[in-house]
Amino acid sequence: MSVAHRNRAERLTEAEIFQAHLGGKLSTHVPGTPLDARTLSAISTPGVARVSRAIAEDGRLAARYTWAHRLVAVVSDGTAVLGLGDVGPVAALPVMEGKSALFKALGGLDSIPLVLRSHDVDEIVETLRVLRPSFGAVNLEDVAAPRCFELERALDDALDCPVMHNDQHGTAIVVLAALRSSAELLGKPLSAMRVVVSGAGAAGTACARILVTAGAGEVTVLDSRGVIHRDRPGLSPAKERLAELTNRAGVRGGLADVLPGADVFVGVSSATVPEELIASMAPDAVVFALSNPTPEIAPELAAQHASVVATGRSDHPNQISNLLACPGIFRGALDAGATRITERMMLAAADAIVALAADDLAPDRVVPSVLDPRVAPEVAAAVAAAADPALRDPALRDPALHEPTLHEPVPSGPGEGRP
């Protein structure tokens, strides 16, 4: 099916879109309903007091008798929402609700959206620190660069649970997987590929870093001022670190100076790329035009010059979506009792995605569908296996090993706490 035909067949109407969001996308499911008197006594007073007493005596029991260990907080300040920019926390909430719904639908994990009216890193960290008993992991979403780098580092230091900025690392993991699959398909080793990354925000920085780590031949990154290189004045600390990792040849200039002859274009900015520059790339080029909802170049135009074309959209082939990495990464980290998400775990996630794509590899299928039910379990298993034993909490990894201390039933009556 052609891209154009897919678009016509699957185009959503305004009415469909708003109907899908009517009343929000989340609700609470209560096991054991409808309630009878016996169930009410078990989940409320007097029964709940017995569970609270047991947890007070052995805090490890919270992982078994509450949902916190399997609950992911989806956190945003609303400063970099999709391609919309800084729309604020209230307008970000529909996106975070959607992410939470997809955590459940794709990964079997409960999650809750938390949108915060603050741009202050210390304030956000302190807010999540005091809320820490209520959740088991933090998925940062749509936080603008460069503050997102500082916020992720600060939360890693402050919290004893997995933290990951999905726009950075989720996107980078899937880009790496898609590029490795493309390299296999085209018979080009990754180590021989020259990669141009347009965009030096959260996603662009993480993509460049993981590609360098994975052994890409040459990686060059551009921002709105052109190529990032070590001698360029006025670089932010994040871009200074990026300049140390990339552009070993010290190339300067703009996109027109680096894209001709390149093997790979990764677009993670809102900049439009002229068709003639895509046409100037090396034979069997790879184009990942990932800006959403409007790619840097229309995929049907890019396909006239490149052998593999991917976007971030669900209505085109080869959707490079961080949903392929997440929620599987969080599920794997929580399954393993991991307190950190490490680079090794991220590379393992990419390996799992590549292995799934290998079953049906083709120019329009270099990554599996985000709706493929195998993805989250396979990614989770790979991530759990790659978790650092030194960063695991055994009590979280296997909460069933811990049994509560038995007490006499707690009587109900005047003065008892309310549910």
Side-chain angles (χ1 to χ4, degrees):
M1 181 182 289
S2 70
V3 169
H5 182 67
R6 284 172 58 94
N7 286 341
R8 286 197 299 270
E10 299 177 5
R11 183 169 295 158
L12 290 166
T13 66
E14 287 281 300
E16 284 180 289
I17 291 169
F18 281 92
Q19 182 64 34
H21 294 262
L22 190 62
K25 297 177 289 298
L26 300 175
S27 62
T28 302
H29 167 69
V30 181
T33 53
L35 290 177
D36 56 26
R38 191 172 184 84
T39 302
L40 179 62
S41 294
I43 68 173
S44 182
T45 55
V48 71
R50 182 169 178 177
V51 178
S52 291
R53 178 188 292 170
I55 292 173
E57 294 179 357
D58 183 355
R60 297 172 300 175
L61 292 172
R64 186 176 186 184
Y65 293 106
T66 74
W67 74 337
H69 169 54
R70 305 290 292 179
L71 181 69
V72 180
V74 178
V75 178
S76 180
D77 63 1
T79 53
V81 178
L82 302 176
L84 305 176
D86 187 352
V87 297
V90 176
L93 189 54
V95 181
M96 303 312 124
E97 285 185 3
K99 289 288 185 179
S100 290
L102 291 168
F103 263 92
K104 187 67 170 181
L106 300 178
L109 287 175
D110 290 308
S111 66
I112 186 167
L114 293 176
V115 290
L116 304 177
R117 187 174 280 112
S118 175
H119 294 177
D120 184 273
V121 168
D122 291 339
E123 185 175 33
I124 293 173
V125 170
E126 179 60 15
T127 299
L128 296 177
R129 188 191 67 78
V130 298
L131 289 172
R132 169 65 181 91
S134 298
F135 53 76
V138 173
N139 175 48
L140 292 173
E141 289 278 353
D142 295 348
V143 179
R147 188 172 61 258
C148 61
F149 306 125
E150 180 186 354
L151 178 58
E152 186 183 46
R153 286 194 298 270
L155 287 172
D156 255 335
D157 290 340
L159 303 180
D160 57 341
C161 69
V163 175
M164 190 178 82
H165 185 202
N166 197 20
D167 302 301
Q168 286 186 65
H169 307 299
T171 302
I173 288 162
V174 183
V175 164
L176 173 60
L179 186 52
R180 285 178 52 196
S181 294
S182 299
E184 176 68 23
L185 182 69
L186 299 172
K188 284 185 176 183
L190 182 62
S191 59
M193 286 183 161
R194 183 159 70 85
V195 182
V196 174
V197 179
S198 177
T205 297
C207 287
R209 287 179 174 276
I210 202 168
L211 291 174
V212 169
T213 299
E218 177 62 49
V219 179
T220 305
V221 184
L222 300 93
D223 62 8
S224 59
R225 294 176 52 199
V227 175
I228 293 175
H229 58 85
R230 295 181 184 183
D231 298 324
R232 203 181 91 178
L235 292 176
S236 67
K239 290 180 181 178
E240 286 179 352
R241 292 190 290 270
L242 196 56
E244 292 295 321
L245 284 176
T246 63
N247 192 9
R248 293 193 301 267
V251 177
R252 307 182 183 202
L255 197 59
D257 300 294
V258 294
L259 199 53
D263 299 286
V264 182
F265 170 76
V266 178
V268 279
S269 72
S270 57
T272 300
V273 179
E275 183 182 354
E276 56 267 28
L277 283 185
I278 297 297
S280 73
M281 294 176 66
D284 285 331
V286 176
V287 173
F288 295 163
L290 305 183
S291 288
N292 235 336
T294 305
E296 287 80 0
I297 182 171
E300 55 267 27
L301 292 180
Q304 296 178 21
H305 311 287
S307 294
V308 177
V309 177
T311 71
R313 294 176 59 117
S314 61
D315 55 355
H316 293 293
N318 288 331
Q319 184 190 11
I320 295 182
S321 169
N322 53 31
L323 287 173
L324 288 168
C326 175
I329 285 181
F330 281 100
R331 179 170 156 184
L334 292 173
D335 285 348
T339 57
R340 291 289 183 275
I341 294 175
T342 64
E343 186 176 79
R344 183 167 178 253
M345 294 160 76
M346 295 179 194
L347 293 173
D351 289 343
I353 296 168
V354 170
L356 288 170
D359 294 343
D360 194 23
L361 194 59
D364 63 347
R365 293 187 299 276
V366 295
V367 287
S369 165
V370 296
L371 299 178
D372 186 331
R374 302 172 299 164
V375 173
E378 291 293 326
V379 169
V383 168
D388 185 343
L391 298 176
R392 295 187 185 193
D393 184 337
L396 297 180
R397 184 168 66 250
D398 192 1
L401 292 177
H402 307 291
E403 294 294 339
T405 302
L406 296 179
H407 297 282
E408 292 300 314
V410 179
S412 59
E416 279 293 318
R418 294 294 179 260

